[in-house]
Amino acid sequence: MATMLEGRCQTQPRSSPSGRETSLWSSGFGMKLEAVTPFLGKYRPFVGRCCQTCTPKSWESLFHRSITDLGFCNVILVKEENTRFRGWLVRRLCYFLWSLEQHIPPCQDAPQKIMESTGVQNLLSGRVPGGTGEGQVPDLVKKEVQRILGHIQAPPRPFLVRLFSWALLRFLNCLFLNVQLHKGQMKMVQKAAQAGLPLVLLSTHKTLLDGILLPFMLLSQGLGVLRVAWDSRACSPALRALLRKLGGLFLPPEANLSLDSSEGLLARAVVQAASAPLGLWTGALAVLRSLWSRWGCSHRICSRVHLAQPFSLQEYIVSARSCWGGRQTLEQLLQPIVLGQCTAVPDTEKEQEWTPITGPLLALKEEDQLLVRRLSCHVLSTSVGSSAVMSTAIMATLLLFKHQKLLGEFSWLTEEILLRGFDVGFSGQLRSLLQHSLSLLRAHVALLRIRQGDLLVVPQPGPGLTHLAQLSAELLPVFLSEAVGACAVRGLLAGRVPPQGPWELQGILLLSQNELYRQILLLMHLLPQDLLLLKPCQSSYCYCQEVLDRLIQCGLLVAEETPGSRPACDTGRQRLSRKLLWKPSGDFTDSDSDDFEEAEGRYFRLSQQSHCPDFFLFLCRLLSPLLKAFAQAAAFLRQGQLPDTELGYTEQLFQFLQATAQEEGIFECADPKLAISAVWTFRDLGVLQQTPSPAGPRLHLSPTFASQDNQEKLEQFIRQFICS
């Protein structure tokens, strides 16, 4: 079903022939906005700070105090002033002279250090299973270590590095108008590098260009040659040899063998000893193909690189080990409640790890594996918070959720993003931004001029709506707490008022704080960990209070004072309850320290302000693609062909989502990523069970959910959070 939206997005002069100024209004506020800037007052939000709970010293010492006063620099802009020379010839050769002046540190004696490392020495001395024996250091093993190390890396060749930097600088100037980098963020990275310890950088891979652009950018900022991890399977032997001389790292194939393989044992020991270069990223040969495809592009683009605040890994390890508490699987937490066997939510955290299992990870101890997985959650949460929201994501959200006034809603949504501490990657005249966003989405929308100054924007059905839903998902981290709270309120009201009932009727009901906590916890457990981005050091109850606070701050909930209860505005510090004392997070606020037993006497109502119904629906729709995909996956249990491999069953579910989208017109759910997330969640919930087989692990339906009654209970449990 096509969505038809009307917005004033004109290219004609501001004054009409009759002398009246054209309409350009912000909906709901009555104030005219003609320009959009990424600032709140004089400052723009700073994103990407490290965790204050796990790394308090890094949070304080590695933060640049004047970061809000520093602007951006263009890292590919090289002029005469960037070299030591002056003159007309220098202005023509400044790229080449700049590349000659780049500092390339000398290569250290890596083979000798690796041979002396603890892991390799334990292996050679026989102190670990698969070793060569006590006191035996055969030359054959030394040659094998050198062979593996030669496959991993080679000494960088300064001439090739400088030549490649010069060629890449010219190429990037042909590809980009500018590559912006925040000076304050770079100051923090340089301050961390001055400590003399190895600096490891992780990329979130927003584009395929990261494997080349990021090392060049950090080399240009004086951090030296950066080691880049590449996939050896995507490179020919000749290309691998060239990339190793340019600072590339290649993981040996033996490192991913099983733990009981003697060949992989030595390779993993060498890899662990060799991991202390200046930087690590993963790349692919597709980067080069992407660069080549963009070479003939007539329109140059702009790019911006975000660097999160560095933190000490040693400090994190010490702090993280002290924050570990008991956890339960999703099946233990949620399955009894789904089946109606109990109503109380267990007072513990969820253990759900979707980190890919590789050979080097399995070689670690179980405690170290848990540390790596929880560190990845921290890094993912910080990286998502560091990413700027683009104008296409805002436009896709407005089109997908059928907002009528594009100009006003675009300004409102941009301001809401900035108020929540997220950054935006655009600025300029409002009409120009909308025109540019619609031009980027032109393959997925149709623009029809119905009268002078008015445009009818019609999203294309089918893949067009799916693409808009994927773009709008970028806004979910910004409003995630409010969206979780709104869907939890929807689930609480599901059994009390009709789903299509008026907002005034829903506002009459009283919602107790305990009921809200329970619904929020149930939805938190249901949502995937990589979507919720809950840090391991943050307890579920603290997050529940944060969600409730956000709903109050945005005006959706209003506290209802009841006789005999302590006023909700009373933030006096009370004694900590036993239920709260065990929580791993020690950073409690006044609202967190309230006794949970006192929450029984606190009640809330839905606000009756005019903007609340639309905002409530907007928040619910942010999570609706995922929740609807989960509900359809529950309905698919009755017709899915099991047993099957995980990949095969995921493909079955995706085809079902596509078929349902054609019948019902809900194309937002026809996403293969949502199908994968549903299969993984159902596997953790105990709906699907995995058993080994000669052809590999296979999924089959668990006996508990073989009955249609339990399948319907699962679907009904999910659908209570969906706002139609």
Side-chain angles (χ1 to χ4, degrees), residues 257-308:
L257 296 178
S258 59
L259 292 181
D260 55 0
S261 171
S262 59
E263 297 178 0
L265 196 62
L266 181 60
R268 285 189 288 269
V270 174
V271 168
Q272 292 176 9
S275 300
L278 285 178
L280 287 176
W281 288 282
T282 56
L285 190 61
V287 174
L288 300 178
R289 293 196 293 264
S290 176
L291 288 173
W292 179 259
S293 64
R294 291 173 179 264
W295 176 265
C297 184
S298 58
H299 300 287
R300 292 192 294 169
I301 59 178
C302 300
S303 178
R304 201 166 97 202
V305 179
H306 297 271
L307 295 174

Side-chain angles (χ1 to χ4, degrees), residues 221-402:
Q221 299 299 312
L223 291 180
V225 179
L226 294 135
R227 298 290 190 175
V228 184
W230 291 76
D231 187 1
S232 60
R233 296 170 297 180
C235 304
S236 63
L239 183 58
R240 283 201 303 268
L242 174 62
L243 292 176
R244 276 199 297 266
K245 294 177 181 179
L246 291 173
L249 294 175
F250 293 90
L251 191 68
E254 301 93 338
N256 283 319
L257 296 178
S258 59
L259 292 181
D260 55 0
S261 171
S262 59
E263 297 178 0
L265 196 62
L266 181 60
R268 285 189 288 269
V270 174
V271 168
Q272 292 176 9
S275 300
L278 285 178
L280 287 176
W281 288 282
T282 56
L285 190 61
V287 174
L288 300 178
R289 293 196 293 264
S290 176
L291 288 173
W292 179 259
S293 64
R294 291 173 179 264
W295 176 265
C297 184
S298 58
H299 300 287
R300 292 192 294 169
I301 59 178
C302 300
S303 178
R304 201 166 97 202
V305 179
H306 297 271
L307 295 174
Q309 182 183 3
F311 64 91
S312 170
L313 184 59
Q314 181 179 7
E315 181 188 8
Y316 173 80
I317 292 175
V318 174
S319 302
R321 294 186 191 276
S322 63
C323 294
W324 291 354
R327 290 173 178 257
Q328 293 184 358
T329 63
L330 184 62
E331 181 178 356
Q332 296 170 330
L333 287 172
L334 215 55
Q335 189 181 106
I337 300 176
V338 171
L339 299 178
Q341 298 173 355
C342 69
T343 58
V345 183
D347 189 12
T348 184
E349 305 296 325
K350 178 179 68 172
E351 185 67 37
Q352 185 182 43
E353 303 294 351
W354 290 357
T355 308
I357 303 300
T358 60
L361 182 61
L362 290 175
L364 300 176
K365 298 178 182 179
E366 184 177 356
E367 184 180 9
D368 293 334
Q369 291 183 27
L370 183 60
L371 182 67
V372 171
R373 292 189 179 104
R374 296 189 176 181
L375 175 62
S376 65
C377 292
H378 266 285
V379 173
L380 180 61
S381 177
T382 304
S383 62
V384 171
S386 302
S387 303
V389 179
M390 306 308 294
S391 60
T392 51
I394 297 179
M395 180 58 65
T397 303
L398 296 177
L399 293 175
L400 190 65
F401 299 153
K402 303 179 182 180

Side-chain angles (χ1 to χ4, degrees), residues 29-270:
F29 295 99
M31 52 183 296
K32 186 164 60 177
L33 298 175
E34 297 189 5
V36 176
T37 59
F39 295 92
L40 285 173
K42 297 190 299 180
Y43 304 102
R44 68 186 309 151
F46 175 72
V47 295
R49 295 209 68 173
C50 62
C51 180
Q52 188 178 11
T53 302
C54 297
T55 54
K57 295 181 180 178
S58 300
W59 190 86
E60 178 68 25
S61 62
L62 296 180
F63 180 70
H64 197 279
R65 294 299 176 186
S66 303
I67 191 169
T68 55
D69 299 331
L70 301 178
F72 289 82
C73 65
N74 184 7
V75 296
I76 63 173
L77 179 61
V78 176
K79 297 182 178 180
E80 178 184 4
E81 293 78 9
N82 299 107
T83 66
R84 295 179 298 166
F85 309 99
R86 298 294 182 267
W88 66 271
L89 185 60
V90 175
R91 288 191 288 271
R92 286 157 178 79
L93 299 176
C94 57
Y95 287 3
F96 181 73
L97 294 175
W98 172 86
S99 63
L100 292 178
E101 294 179 354
Q102 296 306 304
H103 172 66
I104 300 177
C107 182
Q108 301 175 349
D109 189 11
Q112 183 63 27
K113 288 189 174 182
I114 291 176
M115 287 296 298
E116 296 174 355
S117 65
T118 304
V120 176
Q121 287 298 318
N122 289 339
L123 183 64
L124 295 177
S125 61
R127 287 191 290 269
V128 296
T132 60
E134 183 66 33
Q136 300 179 8
V137 188
D139 295 336
L140 183 62
V141 178
K142 288 185 177 181
K143 292 181 180 179
E144 182 67 13
V145 170
Q146 292 177 353
R147 183 194 67 81
I148 296 174
L149 183 60
H151 188 282
I152 296 175
Q153 63 183 4
R157 300 298 177 87
F159 174 75
L160 287 178
V161 172
R162 290 189 174 99
L163 181 63
F164 184 76
S165 300
W166 167 76
L168 186 60
L169 179 60
R170 294 191 62 87
F171 187 82
L172 292 176
N173 275 276
C174 296
L175 184 64
F176 296 102
L177 282 172
N178 58 69
V179 178
Q180 294 183 349
L181 174 66
H182 197 284
K183 296 179 182 178
Q185 295 177 350
M186 194 67 240
K187 290 286 187 182
M188 293 189 300
V189 176
Q190 291 173 344
K191 185 177 181 180
Q194 291 173 358
L197 298 176
L199 186 64
V200 179
L201 299 104
L202 303 176
S203 171
T204 54
H205 303 293
K206 288 295 183 181
T207 68
L208 294 175
L209 298 174
D210 290 355
I212 290 180
L213 177 60
L214 295 180
F216 167 80
M217 180 200 69
L218 294 170
L219 173 65
S220 67
Q221 299 299 312
L223 291 180
V225 179
L226 294 135
R227 298 290 190 175
V228 184
W230 291 76
D231 187 1
S232 60
R233 296 170 297 180
C235 304
S236 63
L239 183 58
R240 283 201 303 268
L242 174 62
L243 292 176
R244 276 199 297 266
K245 294 177 181 179
L246 291 173
L249 294 175
F250 293 90
L251 191 68
E254 301 93 338
N256 283 319
L257 296 178
S258 59
L259 292 181
D260 55 0
S261 171
S262 59
E263 297 178 0
L265 196 62
L266 181 60
R268 285 189 288 269
V270 174

Side-chain angles (χ1 to χ4, degrees), residues 6-10 14 16 19-36 398 403-415 430-431 434 451 453-454:
E6 180 179 346
R8 299 190 176 274
C9 183
Q10 63 180 21
R14 293 176 52 196
S16 63
R20 293 181 299 175
E21 195 173 59
T22 56
S23 299
L24 189 61
W25 304 104
S26 169
S27 70
F29 295 99
M31 52 183 296
K32 186 164 60 177
L33 298 175
E34 297 189 5
V36 176
L398 296 177
H403 285 254
Q404 300 295 325
K405 300 178 180 179
L406 293 182
L407 288 178
E409 298 292 347
F410 192 96
S411 299
W412 163 76
L413 199 51
T414 302
E415 184 179 356
L430 185 58
R431 285 175 292 180
L434 263 67
R451 58 179 181 267
D454 287 336

